[in-house]
Amino acid sequence: MAVETVDTPVRDTVPTPARGERSLTGLWFALPFLVIYAVFMIWPILAGLWSSLFNTSLAGGDVEFLGLSNYAELARDGAVWDSLWNTIYFTLLSTPPLVLVGLVMALLAHRARRTGWLLRFSFFMPFLLPVTVVALIWLWIYQADFGLLNAAVQWFGGGRVAWINDERTAMWAVVICTLWWTVGFNFLLYLAALQGIPRELHESAAVDGASPRQRLWRITLPLLRRTTGLILVLQLIASLKIFDQVYLLNEGAAAPITRPLIQYVYEQGFTSYRIGYASAISYLLFLIIMLVAFAQFKIFPAGRDD
Amino acid sequence: MRTRLPLSLLGVAVAILWLIPLAWAIDTSIKPEGETTRVPVTWIPDVFTLDAYRDVFTASDVPLWLLNSLVVATGVTVLTLAAASLAAYGFSRLDFPGKNWLFALILAGIMVPPQALIVPLFHQMQSLGLIDTYWGIILPQLAAPVIVFILKKFFDGLPREYEQAAALDGASRLRMFWSVVLPMSRPVLAAVGVFTFVGAWNNFLWPFIVISDPDLMTVPVGLGTVQSSYGLRYAEVMASAVIGGLPLVVVYAFLQRHVIRGVGDAGLKG
Amino acid sequence: MNRRQVLLGAAAVMGAAACGAPSGNDRLRYWNLFGGGDGVRMVELIDAFAASRPDLDVKASTLTWGPPYYTKLSMAAAGGRAPDVAILHLARLSSFAPGRLLDPFPQELLTAAGITPDRFLPAIWDRCVVDGQVYAIPLDTHPFVMYYNTELCRRLGLIGAGGDLVPLRGADDLVAAWSEARKLTGGYGLVLDTFGVSPWRLWWTLYRQLDGDLLTEDATALVIDDAKALQALDFMRRLSVTDAVAPGQMLLSGAVALFGSGKAAFLFNGEWEVTTFQTQKTPFSMVPFPEVFPGTSTDGIARTQADCHTFVLPHQRGRTAEGSRAALDYVRFMLDRSVDWAEGGHVPAWLPATRSAEYLALDPQSRYRDAAATAQLDPPAWFSGSASNMETLAGSAFGAVQAGTLTPEAGLARFKADMQRLIDTPAPV
């Protein structure tokens, strides 16, 4: 209910093609997409798996078959597991605020009458900014000497904090920036869900003497459970793929304290030219994300259909 | 009613808090460079100036990157809609050998994280000679199985009577698709188109990987890769950030309802 | 607008896209990484070159210094549409796959342009030649140096009769001077960056002053001398922890700001901030990095970590002789203006420039010129050189020693483990 394709009715039964029409016409229709899909999705998946068995280098040169030794190296490479942990740590820190703040925003905007436009604009607007713009703005806010955040901290009597470079705050800096940037999307999903709750439910509960607070806890929140589940899954998958904002914030940092797994893939593959090894690490990530996506289908079997 | 006022105040407070980062960026961009690093920070500049914007427009690549973003996002949107709607129509209305497993293959692709493919994809682009070309940015973004899925679902729900009537008039399948099905699909095409355009406009990772030539960079890549060679000039950096972020925000401010619906459909994307 | 118009418009945009790709020999695309004070000067020089060559469409791009720059340059060269000419640190040359990611300078063009080995220091020129081919043309050397605040040092009694800093050598004398300076400023005596690659630069300087070696010549084994390595690290710890004359955690930008505003009397850094401090009107001068561990100096100039900016031809699939000639014209133009370039701080590699009266008159830029002769580049390896994996890893391990979060022994153990992993990794070039 949260995610409707369009407001045109969707039939439950899929019409089957008329019999006797089985021909190659349909294949011609599908062909342009299938070719692109095969060349730019399926082929790289297979080619990546293949090159993970070699010492392929960005710089070219002779290629040597290594068998599984890239995978053996990966298992021993502490940086792989550190960056995987950073990815997971980011997911753990960012998911609760991304869900809760999105929910609160939706509740506020759903009630708002005259200020509705302002709320919808300001909550969702950051989501439309390119990630680089977001990172530039936050690097400037986090700037240790003349940044806005330290100005606020010092106004409250705190000391100077090197937000991006201090191991204690670096991940929080990424989380806050991400929250600002992407919470608008969750806000939107919750808002759509709230708008889908029939008004009569609230009205009859009010007639029965339920206070607004009771209605929130007994009616609204339980009805949002599915949306919350959907958001959690989307959030989990998106967090595992995190790269952009961390990389762009890290560029301003001296050491990659918050380096996520994709950044390590990037560094191994392109900075160190090790295409083969980076492909092997990619497959670790690939496996994890496919497992999560598969679990999603198990947990929310109808998640894509309502 | 008692709780209305405090809650709407809270709403406005959160909205203002959410606007502060952008407001601060704009504020910085209209200060002279000397004032940007003043301590303690000031919101109201002593001198108001648009110098930073003038410098960005005259002496940087930002206008070029905006053009590149427009070319790339338009190309991705038009070609994605074309390829995906044709394919969706084929899968929805026609039967052909291997159809079921081909569609299953496309469905499986929805789960594939493109981020995990950057290394093999770059390597492949190297052998195709597409590194540092517009096609190198555009083509991989067209492999978007989720859009075929959305469109097929929509076509499945459309009544078939109009096509049958057209068939009686001797229309070809392509004719039916073009003159009957597409016009009926305007809302979904618009929604998917908005989503695709926003996604392509803001896409960072792939264009960042495939493009090294500053002349071919899109806004997100250029802003993150190329420096003004004048040391740290914060007003200029913030002005280029504001210019880079502005186009979609302005469109959104005017078309809020439509954009929210369009991007909201992205909820279907895993 | 109807659908047909939209499609036609889109087709037009795509058509423009296809034709928009730059090509032809009338363009000279040049990449560099000069984002600091030296960048201002580079832009002036490029503008001058562009004005002198109206037949060429000169386009210079400055990319973010460090790994982002080198990663982009490699990727561009791997893709075959790289810029026509680019800046590369000399110590990075062996990691840049000469012959595959870099194209050689054609010998006949070099001769025609008058770029010959006798016009550079042999130690530097020799590293530019790989398998008998010239892959890099040196522009400058940039040693790690010591900046001092002339005003504060005068008050400390450290300025001699000639107006120069009195010679400071030996760990104890140096620390004593910085300690006095700290009392004067109330903040720090000495400032330095502890986060980036500067901890590596400092350690390599000290370790080379002790005559320590790091790698075998073919970079297949670690030959580090633990006693000397620890002696260097002990001194680094002494600065920020034991004697606390310097900060334990400081970004380069912060160190430059503190020195620039007179809140510290000394600064360790590369020599490229000259313009920054001149613009801020900081009363300052510079000397070669002091001799902390006397013993291996040449003519009184101690060994110092350094690297050289060179010009290279990144690999292009369709590189033409005209393209290479235009690139060489630009290189020669820059070499001829070495003195203008030196004003930004770097020591010219072009010997005719270093011997010119104009250069010798530059103050403080010519004061540390001799450090080029004792320059200690990173040991050649695919993982070494400016902004390399090795420098980043070393910066992090040694920075932790400066911060006091690791003991010198633990910092060294971490560095050695990191180095061993790099050595064990099969070389990708």
Side-chain angles (χ1 to χ4, degrees), chain A residues 28-69:
Chain A
W28 285 115
F29 272 88
L31 200 63
F33 179 83
L34 287 175
V35 168
I36 292 168
Y37 186 65
V39 175
F40 297 108
M41 180 88 99
I42 296 175
W43 180 252
I45 294 177
L46 300 176
L49 201 56
W50 181 245
S51 62
S52 75
L53 306 176
F54 292 82
N55 65 349
T56 315
S57 164
L58 183 74
D62 296 337
V63 176
E64 199 182 318
F65 182 73
L66 297 180
L68 293 177
S69 75

Side-chain angles (χ1 to χ4, degrees), chain A residues 135-152:
Chain A
L136 286 176
I137 292 177
W138 282 91
L139 276 174
W140 177 227
I141 289 174
Y142 289 138
Q143 215 282 346
D145 298 301
F146 357 89
L148 189 62
L149 192 57
N150 270 353

Side-chain angles (χ1 to χ4, degrees), chain A residues 57 59 254 266 271-274, chain C residues 71 74 95 100 195 389 425 428-429:
Chain A
S57 164
Y266 170 81
T271 310
S272 296
Y273 310 159
R274 304 184 65 203
Chain C
T71 308
S74 315
S95 73
R100 295 207 295 274
F195 279 108
N389 284 346
T425 305
V429 291

Side-chain angles (χ1 to χ4, degrees), chain A residues 51-128:
Chain A
S51 62
S52 75
L53 306 176
F54 292 82
N55 65 349
T56 315
S57 164
L58 183 74
D62 296 337
V63 176
E64 199 182 318
F65 182 73
L66 297 180
L68 293 177
S69 75
N70 278 330
Y71 291 91
E73 181 180 347
L74 173 165
R76 288 191 313 266
D77 184 350
V80 168
W81 305 105
D82 284 350
S83 47
L84 179 60
W85 166 245
N86 282 338
T87 302
I88 293 169
Y89 185 52
F90 168 80
T91 310
L92 293 176
L93 286 188
S94 65
T95 306
L98 276 166
V99 172
L100 285 176
V101 175
L103 175 62
V104 169
M105 283 177 164
L107 291 170
L108 289 172
H110 187 52
R111 283 160 182 270
R113 294 287 169 267
R114 263 171 304 174
T115 55
W117 189 89
L118 171 73
L119 267 56
R120 284 195 306 270
F121 177 79
S122 75
F123 295 164
F124 189 67
M125 173 274 298
F127 188 75
L128 291 170

Side-chain angles (χ1 to χ4, degrees), chain B residues 17 25 34 37 65 83 111 117 124 159 171 180 184 202 239 243 257 263:
Chain B
L17 182 69
T37 53
W65 299 334
M111 291 193 293
L117 293 181
Q124 183 182 2
V180 178
M184 285 196 288
N202 283 346
I243 294 168
R257 197 172 290 275
V263 180

Side-chain angles (χ1 to χ4, degrees), chain C residues 341-364:
Chain C
W341 179 237
E343 276 183 50
H346 302 307
V347 181
W350 186 239
L351 291 180
T354 57
R355 293 169 187 145
S356 71
E358 271 174 289
Y359 174 67
L360 295 174
L362 287 181
D363 187 48

Side-chain angles (χ1 to χ4, degrees), chain A residues 253-271:
Chain A
I257 327 170
T258 51
R259 175 172 64 199
L261 197 53
I262 300 222
Q263 190 180 337
Y264 192 60
V265 169
Y266 170 81
E267 288 173 8
Q268 284 297 321
F270 301 122
T271 310

